[in-house]
């Protein structure tokens, strides 16, 4: 049987082109499919981190407190002890009241500067747009639609650095107090300290190697994952981290329309309304120790029958149960109370004392 030389050459060229295009897909893009060599980066609130996309546009100058209010549990090996999977982490909807913080009518990120940094470099804006899932020309409008907020818990994300004209994804834990831009489902999309685009976290292969040092008060078991709210959010209910009040913030970059809110009814619940403890001599609970975030039930493995030690009392409203009547509320649960004195601006003080 004869084989025409021209046909053979064309077949080889097509095969080579397909191979090259397949290899270039991941290399040119968001890096989410890769786990960055199985590494997990711990990133303090003010640190730019590796390969930042832009200069910092975070408007807060606060730095994390050097002293924790609760003992850390990172252990001698720090973040390397964190599980590769996400099933053991608490998942909270992006629309949960009190999930985020901020300061009334003060954005945590300078959106105009962020857009300016991105649009000055064609390769940079293309890489950012690829991660964000928009066209390069739509990046300014995309960023303006995001809402500047502050994380109130250590949060796992897929971060993206910029190197050699490409966005490279890696798994990261962002410290509470980190300034972020959030989409209309409540999911963090930009880290303001470095301009990096963010995506939800992914499971790494094996046990990730820890990079960076745990900050005071860091607890692997308290890291959360933010999941998209089931419906588009028009207003975020957040906590003013300076005045310790509740705020309603419309979505988008313009924070001039923030307005104060009364605390939700469930946040005003007096301690004595809780069911009495079965213990003969229960320790009194201090009203000055707020919950950082709503507690959600963790699903125990099939062979685990004992209840978790940090499960809320049976009378606590859970996210999948109707909360007490709250006009205009979302039905989800936020912090139990707001303290009289402000916490540290960087978010570290949001962890209650363990005494």
């Amino acid at each position: 049987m004869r084989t025409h030389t021209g046909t053979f050459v064309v077949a080889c060229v097509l095969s080579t082109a397909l191979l090259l295009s397949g290899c270039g897909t991941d290399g040119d893009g968001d890096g989410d499919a890769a786990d960055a060599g199985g590494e997990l980066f711990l990133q303090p609130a003010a640190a730019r981190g590796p390969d930042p996309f832009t200069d910092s546009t975070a408007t807060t100058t606060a730095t994390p407190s050097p002293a924790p209010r609760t003992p850390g549990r990172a252990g001698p090996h720090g973040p390397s002890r964190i599980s590769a999977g996400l099933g053991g982490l608490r998942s909270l909807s992006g629309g949960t009241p009190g999930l985020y913080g901020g300061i009334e009518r003060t954005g945590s990120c300078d959106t105009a500067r962020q857009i300016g940094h991105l649009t000055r470099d064609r390769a940079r804006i293309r890489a950012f747009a690829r991660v964000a899932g928009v066209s390069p020309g739509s990046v300014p409008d995309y960023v303006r639609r995001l809402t500047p907020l502050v994380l109130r818990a250590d949060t796992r994300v897929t971060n993206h650095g910029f190197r050699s004209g490409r966005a490279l994804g890696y798994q990261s834990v962002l410290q509470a107090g980190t300034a972020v831009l959030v989409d209309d489902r409540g999911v963090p999309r930009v880290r303001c300290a470095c301009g990096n685009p963010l995506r939800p976290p992914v499971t790494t292969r094996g046990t990730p190697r820890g990079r960076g040092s745990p900050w005071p008060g860091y607890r692997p078991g308290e890291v959360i994952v933010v999941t998209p709210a089931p419906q588009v959010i028009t207003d975020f209910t957040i906590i003013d981290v300076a005045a310790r009040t509740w705020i309603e913030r419309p979505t988008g970059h313009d924070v001039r329309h923030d307005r104060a809110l009364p605390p939700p009814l469930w946040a005003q619940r007096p301690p004595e309304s809780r069911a009495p403890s079965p213990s003969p001599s229960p320790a009194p609970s201090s009203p000055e120790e707020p919950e950082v975030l709503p507690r959600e039930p963790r699903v125990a493995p099939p062979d685990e029958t004992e209840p978790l030690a940090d499960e809320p009392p049976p009378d606590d409203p859970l996210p999948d149960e109707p909360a007490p009547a709250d006009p205009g509320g979302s039905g989800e649960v936020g912090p139990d109370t707001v303290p009289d004195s402000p916490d540290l601006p960087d978010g570290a003080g949001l962890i209650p004392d363990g005494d």
Side-chain angles (χ1 to χ4, degrees):
M1 185 181 351
R2 291 185 177 181
T3 303
H4 294 289
T5 303
T7 303
F8 180 79
V9 171
V10 171
C12 288
V13 171
L14 289 174
S15 299
T16 302
L18 288 172
L19 287 173
L20 290 176
S21 63
C23 293
T25 299
D26 289 338
D28 182 47
D30 47 48
D32 284 351
D35 57 17
E39 294 179 326
L40 183 67
F41 290 77
L42 290 187
Q43 296 192 276
R48 294 182 68 197
D51 304 315
F53 252 77
T54 68
D55 292 338
S56 174
T57 57
T59 57
T60 177
T61 57
T63 54
S65 170
R69 294 182 63 184
T70 51
R73 295 180 182 174
H77 302 290
S80 63
R81 298 178 64 87
I82 297 178
S83 169
L86 302 174
L89 302 181
R90 287 191 299 164
S91 294
L92 293 174
S93 167
T96 304
L99 175 63
Y100 292 107
I103 298 177
E104 187 173 0
R105 299 182 182 177
T106 302
S108 57
C109 182
D110 189 329
T111 301
R113 285 182 57 215
Q114 184 64 59
I115 293 172
H117 288 323
L118 290 171
T119 54
R120 279 200 296 265
D121 186 331
R122 186 173 299 179
R124 203 175 300 269
I125 198 171
R126 279 202 305 261
F128 184 97
R130 185 178 178 90
V131 178
V134 298
S135 67
S138 301
V139 166
D141 287 338
Y142 168 79
V143 174
R144 291 188 192 98
R145 288 195 300 268
L146 303 177
T147 306
L149 298 170
V150 175
L151 298 176
R152 294 191 64 234
D154 298 342
T155 304
R156 177 98 170 247
V157 297
T158 297
N159 209 331
H160 295 82
F162 182 76
R163 185 192 308 166
S164 302
R166 297 182 301 175
L168 303 175
Y170 57 93
Q171 296 305 295
S172 176
V173 175
L174 306 182
Q175 183 187 15
T178 298
V180 291
L181 296 177
V182 176
D183 68 13
D184 60 7
R185 298 282 180 151
V187 178
R189 293 300 182 183
V190 179
R191 183 172 181 262
C192 302
C194 54
N196 289 4
L198 306 175
R199 280 191 175 178
V202 297
T203 300
T204 59
R205 295 188 295 269
T207 302
R209 297 187 300 275
R211 293 287 299 274
S213 300
W215 42 82
Y218 169 70
R219 298 166 126 186
E222 296 298 326
V223 174
I224 68 164
V225 174
V226 179
T227 58
Q231 296 179 341
V232 171
I233 300 169
T234 57
D235 299 282
F236 288 94
T237 300
I238 66 175
I239 290 182
D240 189 315
V241 296
R244 307 309 300 158
T245 56
W246 291 80
I247 304 171
E248 183 180 79
R249 173 167 293 178
T251 54
H253 72 284
D254 190 351
V255 299
R256 293 174 298 175
H257 302 291
D258 288 356
R259 68 184 188 94
L261 291 177
L265 294 179
W266 43 263
Q268 305 176 43
R269 183 178 55 212
E272 51 270 20
S273 66
R274 293 174 177 262
S277 170
S279 172
S281 55
S285 60
S286 171
E288 299 179 358
E289 297 183 356
E291 290 291 336
V292 177
L293 291 170
R295 295 182 178 180
E296 293 195 352
R298 301 182 188 175
V299 178
D303 58 345
E304 187 174 324
T305 58
E306 291 295 326
L308 294 172
D310 60 348
E311 286 184 334
D315 61 330
D316 272 5
L318 299 175
D320 56 350
E321 299 175 355
D326 177 14
S330 67
E332 294 182 306
V333 179
D336 282 351
T337 185
V338 179
D340 294 331
S341 58
D343 282 320
L344 297 174
D346 64 341
L350 294 173
I351 302 174
D353 294 330
D355 297 338

